[in-house]
């Protein structure tokens, strides 16, 4: 039988391996020795255990109470038997019997070993549970320990005793791993099993993309930039919506990085999977318009009751908005959590909708097309009063009058008549020249082709001064697979996001 020094050394090595502290070490020894004593003397046995690590000794004392009549031999001793040890013993005193390790039989030692192993496992489970319950969504690294029926068993770098697996449904099926390969995955949840907590990891969940961006983007780690929404089709494409709490920080640019360095690191980890980065917006219509990028959306209409967005795009943008096999509109719908229905501008007009495709610009309402005379800049109040007294109240009322017609009105001098004709000429000239030149300019300036970006996505500045509609990474161009193999719309060309 090994001495107390050897046992103490073995237990100390065990606790160092399992990362237990001194208090837990003493608790393990006490439980093990108590289990051994219980195996030999009975479950109600009482004992004192004194551990001296400096000397490497363990002192075990069995305690029995002196009684007149014994009812429990494990913790009681008769007065007669106690007086064999010391004649001065009285009823109620406690007899202390030193116990040597050599007295423990094989069964008692096995019981002590089983109890110690059980306590060590319970400590491991508690540590794993406490460590990882609050770390859901964090990135963990390890290596493939085993592959069984499509499931990857992972040995973590820091918690090797933790059971971590990547189920088949949580994998990117374009990736292939072998035993011993290093990998990173996101902690999706902690499951309780009869053997203890099990860490469920994932490389196919949108949380994995969020965790990778958190690793690469310091602004996300600092809480300045936040990924508000994410939608993913594993191995093909991901869309994320980002928001900045600091107006001076562009969230899209922060995620893209200098020359696309940050987003490219994420793309490489995902095996070349495309990533669209769009600004998040609380307005569902604007958010849907941004989420459909890289397609340019002419107009969107929303129905809050059914959480449906109707998006109208130009004919040449319809296939781009739909995406390959409906992927773009499907991801946009998942990102916004709204159902998105796509229409081309021609289909929208044929549909006979009362809603305009292009909203009027601010200040271009119907009331401003035919302003009142009092609102026209340059007209004197006295002149306006004379005209209104004659029944002329708006611009349309006087636009066809000649100089002689003004001179017939009492109170209009020749100089004022000339001034009225000048104002009318200026207003009509502005209206006439504001239509044709703009249309001509639009016809003469062709659409600028998308510039290739070999590194990663890049943000653009929108007309509202915010971040651009979207960014694409890992595809070399704005969207190279649109021409040729994009699906055409069927029927009326309507596409519903699922």
């Amino acid at each position: 039988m090994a001495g107390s020094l050897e046992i103490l050394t073995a237990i100390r090595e065990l606790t160092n391996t399992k990362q237990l502290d001194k208090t837990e070490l003493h608790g393990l020894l006490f439980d093990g020795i108590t289990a051994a004593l219980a195996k030999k003397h009975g479950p109600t046995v009482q004992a004192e255990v004194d551990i001296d690590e400096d000397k490497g000794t363990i002192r075990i004392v069995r305690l029995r109470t002196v009684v007149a009549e014994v009812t429990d031999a494990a913790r009681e001793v008769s007065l007669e038997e106690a007086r064999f040890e010391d004649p001065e013993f009285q009823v109620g005193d406690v007899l202390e019997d030193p116990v040597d390790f050599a007295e423990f039989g094989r069964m008692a030692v096995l019981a002590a070993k089983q109890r110690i192993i059980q306590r060590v496992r319970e400590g491991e489970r508690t540590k794993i549970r406490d460590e990882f319950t609050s770390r859901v969504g964090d990135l963990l690294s390890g290596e493939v320990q085993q592959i069984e029926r499509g499931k990857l068993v992972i040995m973590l770098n820091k918690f090797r005793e933790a059971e971590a697996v990547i189920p088949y449904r949580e994998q990117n099926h374009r990736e292939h791993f072998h035993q011993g390969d290093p990998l990173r995955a996101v902690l999706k949840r902690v499951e309780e099993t009869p053997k203890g907590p099990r860490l469920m990891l994932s490389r196919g969940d949108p949380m994995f993309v969020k965790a990778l961006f958190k690793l690469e983007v310091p602004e996300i780690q600092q809480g300045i930039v936040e990924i508000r929404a994410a939608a993913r089709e594993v191995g093909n494409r991901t869309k994320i919506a980002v928001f900045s709490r600091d107006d001076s920080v562009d969230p899209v640019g922060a995620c893209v990085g200098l020359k696309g360095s940050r987003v490219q690191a994420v793309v490489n980890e995902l095996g070349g999977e495309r990533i669209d980065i769009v600004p998040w917006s609380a307005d569902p219509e604007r958010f849907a318009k941004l989420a459909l990028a890289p397609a340019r959306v002419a107009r969107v209409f929303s129905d809050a009751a059914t959480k449906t967005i109707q998006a109208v795009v130009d004919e040449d943008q319809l296939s781009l908005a739909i995406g390959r096999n409906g992927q773009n509109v499907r991801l946009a719908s998942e990102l916004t959590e709204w159902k998105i229905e796509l229409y081309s501008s021609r289909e929208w007009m044929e549909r006979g909708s009362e809603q305009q495709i292009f909203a009027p610009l601010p200040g271009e309402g119907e009331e401003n097309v035919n302003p009142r005379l009092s609102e026209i800049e340059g007209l004197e109040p006295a002149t306006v009063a004379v005209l209104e007294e004659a029944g002329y109240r708006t611009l349309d009322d006087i636009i066809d009058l000649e100089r002689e017609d003004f001179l017939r009105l009492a109170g209009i001098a020749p100089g004022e008549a000339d001034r009225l004709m000048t104002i009318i000429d200026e207003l009509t000239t502005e209206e006439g020249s504001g239509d044709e030149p703009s249309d001509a300019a639009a016809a003469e300036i062709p659409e600028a082709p998308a510039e290739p970006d070999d590194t990663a996505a890049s943000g653009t500045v929108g007309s509202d001064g915010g971040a651009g509609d979207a960014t694409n990474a890992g595809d070399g161009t704005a969207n190279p697979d649109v021409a040729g193999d994009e699906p055409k719309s069927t029927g009326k060309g309507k596409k519903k996001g699922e």
Side-chain angles (χ1 to χ4, degrees), residues 204-222:
D205 195 271
M207 291 171 59
F208 182 51
V209 181
K210 290 183 179 180
L212 290 175
F213 271 104
K214 184 177 180 181
L215 180 67
E216 297 293 338
V217 182
E219 289 83 356
I220 295 180
Q221 299 174 17
Q222 298 165 6

Side-chain angles (χ1 to χ4, degrees), residues 23 95 100 109 170 190 194 198 219 232 329 361 387 434:
T23 303
L95 175 63
D100 189 5
V109 172
E170 297 294 344
V190 180
R198 175 185 295 167
E219 289 83 356
R232 186 182 184 197
V329 68
L361 295 174
L387 293 172

